[in-house]
Amino acid sequence: GIDANITVGRNSGSSGTMTVEAGATLNVDTLTIGRGGSATVNVLGSGTTVNLVGDAEGTLGAGFSVGSLGTGNMTVSNGAVVNIDGSAGVGSSVTIGGSPLLGGGGTGSLTVSGEGSKIAVVGNTPSFRVGLDLSAGTTPSTGTVVIAAGGQVALDPVAGSGAVGASPGSTGTLTVTGAGSLLDAGAFLGIGRDFDDTPGGTGTVVVAAEGTVKAAEIHIGTGGTLAGSRGDGDRQPDEPG
């Protein structure tokens, strides 16, 4: 197959930083941030766009992982946009802490901040997972996501699914805070459960200061916690209809 990938911080002991800014556009299939080393990726500013589009002949699909086996940090801010579309390939995925292809053991963080800043995930089986380990807990991962100040993460409303604390032994934390800040997981969100509703690890979702978390169904596992604040008119997490 034909795949285009950019890896930042590939090997243990290595480190790297990549910044996309000032209205630039990056087109690639996948990004791997902190594959084995330490990595930081910044996507900054209005008009700046990263398009992750899967190739019909490829095998990796479309999307990005942050902190696969190493340590990764990604920031999308000040109106920048990341578009992920795996319609032509094997699927679309975002993973913070761990990787569906490489396994677990990493530590990843993602911040989406500022009005107009957005990550949109569409295509075949689009997913958003925080804290993933494919080895049944032997190599646990840690993922942290903050969506703030009007930033948004939105998955396909019909096919999308998310998980915070996706795997046993792994830990995921998601905070959505500020008016206009949004996580829309689409059809399903697991907290302490994986996106297919199997048992997960430790997942915590905090919604505050008029932030919004929504999905058609939200399932909370034994290791899951969903917390929100009603102070000053703050909206609560959307409940299953």
Side-chain angles (χ1 to χ4, degrees):
I2 301 172
D3 293 296
N5 167 264
I6 294 176
T7 298
V8 184
R10 179 179 179 84
N11 297 319
S12 178
S14 68
S15 63
T17 299
M18 181 176 78
T19 299
V20 187
E21 61 183 346
T25 298
L26 172 65
N27 298 314
V28 70
D29 292 9
T30 59
L31 283 173
T32 306
I33 304 164
R35 185 187 190 278
S38 176
T40 298
V41 169
N42 303 304
V43 186
L44 310 175
S46 178
T48 301
T49 305
V50 173
N51 297 311
L52 306 175
V53 180
D55 193 290
E57 299 180 20
T59 59
L60 298 179
F64 64 84
S65 62
V66 184
S68 304
L69 310 177
T71 300
N73 301 281
M74 183 175 184
T75 297
V76 180
S77 68
N78 299 329
V81 174
V82 178
N83 297 309
I84 302 171
D85 187 350
S87 300
V90 298
S92 311
S93 67
V94 172
T95 309
I96 313 302
S99 164
L101 298 176
L102 300 172
T107 299
S109 68
L110 169 68
T111 300
V112 184
S113 179
E115 185 176 352
S117 302
K118 185 173 184 178
I119 297 174
V121 191
V122 300
N124 298 329
T125 60
S127 65
F128 184 87
R129 297 157 99 182
V130 185
L132 176 67
D133 167 30
L134 302 181
S135 64
T138 60
T139 54
S141 300
T142 300
T144 303
V145 176
V146 175
I147 304 171
Q152 298 189 352
V153 175
L155 279 66
D156 182 281
V158 175
S161 59
V164 180
S167 302
S170 291
T171 301
T173 303
L174 168 74
T175 301
V176 182
T177 182
S181 301
L182 169 70
L183 171 68
D184 185 347
F188 180 86
L189 175 64
I191 304 173
R193 299 190 70 82
D194 204 356
F195 63 7
D196 58 359
D197 208 19
T198 55
T202 301
T204 302
V205 173
V206 177
V207 190
E210 299 187 65
T212 300
V213 170
K214 63 184 294 186
E217 296 185 24
I218 298 176
H219 292 192
I220 302 174
T222 56
T225 301
L226 175 60
S229 168
R230 292 187 184 274
D232 298 324
D234 293 353
R235 286 176 289 173
Q236 292 300 289
D238 283 15
E239 297 179 353

